[in-house]
Amino acid sequence: DDIVKVLMFGAQKYDRDNWRHVTDAAQRYQAAAFRLLTAYAKGEHTDPETGMSHLAHMGCCILFLLSLEKSDGNA
């Protein structure tokens, strides 16, 4: 549910499925996931822009990475 809310926020802000068109997507989503996990580990649990959990945002990054891996034939 929380991950879906993050996806919906992103679709409204950037456009639906825009995440697929990011340059160097795999590297960028991996870096974002690490940044989010680091922020969470340091006690920052909520994204200031969305008010949603860093873990939900990180979940989106992981789902994007999984999809990119499968589409690249590396699954």
Side-chain angles (χ1 to χ4, degrees):
D1 186 47
D2 289 341
I3 292 175
V4 172
K5 289 178 185 175
V6 172
L7 291 169
M8 290 173 60
F9 178 89
Q12 289 177 342
K13 181 175 180 180
Y14 300 107
D15 202 9
R16 186 176 181 172
D17 290 331
N18 192 60
W19 67 270
R20 295 179 186 275
H21 308 292
V22 172
T23 303
D24 297 323
Q27 292 82 8
R28 289 179 64 184
Y29 291 122
Q30 183 179 18
F34 280 117
R35 280 193 308 273
L36 291 160
L37 184 58
T38 299
Y40 187 86
K42 290 181 177 180
E44 181 184 312
H45 293 184
T46 305
D47 177 76
E49 180 181 7
T50 65
M52 294 182 234
S53 171
H54 279 319
L55 295 179
H57 282 273
M58 190 173 68
C60 287
C61 291
I62 300 301
L63 290 173
F64 294 162
L65 287 167
L66 181 59
S67 180
L68 290 168
E69 179 181 80
K70 288 183 177 237
S71 68
D72 287 345
N74 296 323

